[in-house]
Amino acid sequence: MTFVVLFSTMSFTLNMHYCGDTLVETAIYHKAKGCGMEMEKPSTEGCSINKKNCCDDAQLAIEGQEELQLQVDKITFEQQVFIASFVYTYSNIFKGLENNVFTYEEYKPPLVIRQLYKIDETYLI
């Protein structure tokens, strides 16, 4: 239950770097480094290059839930029945396992009087 509350309230960002149409790198919580093929700006101001960059960065921001229901009095009757049956079932599921008696532990195999597999052997000549 703790993990459900933690992950439903947590916000995070997913950064992706595309080179052309291919996904090259993904990063969570920080910017993707890239593939190193980004266009560099020219060193002089008079020179300009008007080529389109083949790389593209995309960012996916996932917002978490801000408000939580912390009061128990707003739980419906069906939810109360479910919680009660869940707790009852899983508290009694392992009760009595240490008292199980296995009858085959006290069983002794019969003594071998004759070897039965040799009586029924047939040989084709």
Side-chain angles (χ1 to χ4, degrees):
M1 189 66 151
T2 306
F3 290 113
V4 171
V5 172
L6 176 69
F7 289 119
S8 67
T9 58
M10 189 171 69
S11 301
F12 63 93
T13 58
L14 179 67
N15 293 312
M16 298 170 281
H17 180 78
Y18 290 96
C19 191
D21 289 332
T22 344
L23 179 63
V24 177
E25 184 179 1
T26 58
I28 299 176
Y29 296 120
H30 60 85
K31 187 175 180 180
K33 293 179 183 175
C35 59
M37 297 185 62
E38 289 85 13
M39 298 284 289
E40 294 182 10
K41 293 182 179 178
S43 58
T44 61
E45 298 203 13
C47 180
S48 65
I49 299 175
N50 293 332
K51 280 191 171 180
K52 184 179 176 188
N53 192 358
C54 68
C55 295
D56 188 28
D57 291 327
Q59 182 178 24
L60 177 67
I62 298 175
E63 295 295 325
Q65 183 181 2
E66 295 294 328
E67 297 177 9
L68 293 175
Q69 177 183 351
L70 298 176
Q71 300 168 346
V72 182
D73 59 347
K74 293 183 182 178
I75 294 178
T76 64
F77 178 71
E78 289 83 14
Q79 292 172 339
Q80 290 177 1
V81 168
F82 174 75
I83 291 170
S85 62
F86 182 81
V87 169
Y88 177 76
T89 303
Y90 284 103
S91 65
N92 294 330
I93 196 167
F94 298 113
K95 194 178 281 186
L97 281 181
E98 63 274 353
N99 298 333
N100 285 348
V101 178
F102 301 106
T103 58
Y104 61 85
E105 290 178 349
E106 298 175 6
Y107 176 74
K108 294 180 181 159
L111 296 174
V112 178
I113 298 172
R114 55 188 168 170
Q115 296 174 344
L116 293 176
Y117 63 89
K118 288 202 173 204
I119 293 174
D120 295 329
E121 284 183 5
T122 58
Y123 299 100
L124 296 175
I125 300 176

